[in-house]
Amino acid sequence: MERMIHIVFQEADVAALTKSFELDGTLLGPILLIRDDYAAGPIKDLTEEEGKTNRRLWWKTILE
């Protein structure tokens, strides 16, 4: 059986998913919490160092 990988964007979702594992063991799998909101800002080349740097600089500018 293949394991699921769960991607969530809020801390509360981690707790909810963890509870769901008790109800249905077939849902078991690692939970990846992403704290960034990719709906806004630059997302080009996030697997490259330049893309990551551009994203950090954008957030820094927005949060100042």
Side-chain angles (χ1 to χ4, degrees), residues 1-4 6 20-29:
M1 175 192 332
E2 290 186 37
R3 290 181 56 183
M4 292 186 191
H6 305 279
S20 74
F21 298 159
E22 295 172 12
L23 299 173
D24 186 349
T26 64
L27 299 175
L28 275 172

Side-chain angles (χ1 to χ4, degrees), residues 6-44:
H6 305 279
I7 301 172
V8 297
F9 299 92
Q10 298 178 28
E11 221 37 75
D13 296 335
V14 173
L17 263 175
T18 302
K19 271 302 227 189
S20 74
F21 298 159
E22 295 172 12
L23 299 173
D24 186 349
T26 64
L27 299 175
L28 275 172
I31 302 172
L32 175 62
L33 172 62
I34 298 177
R35 290 185 168 93
D36 200 345
D37 181 359
Y38 295 119
I43 57 172
K44 183 178 179 191

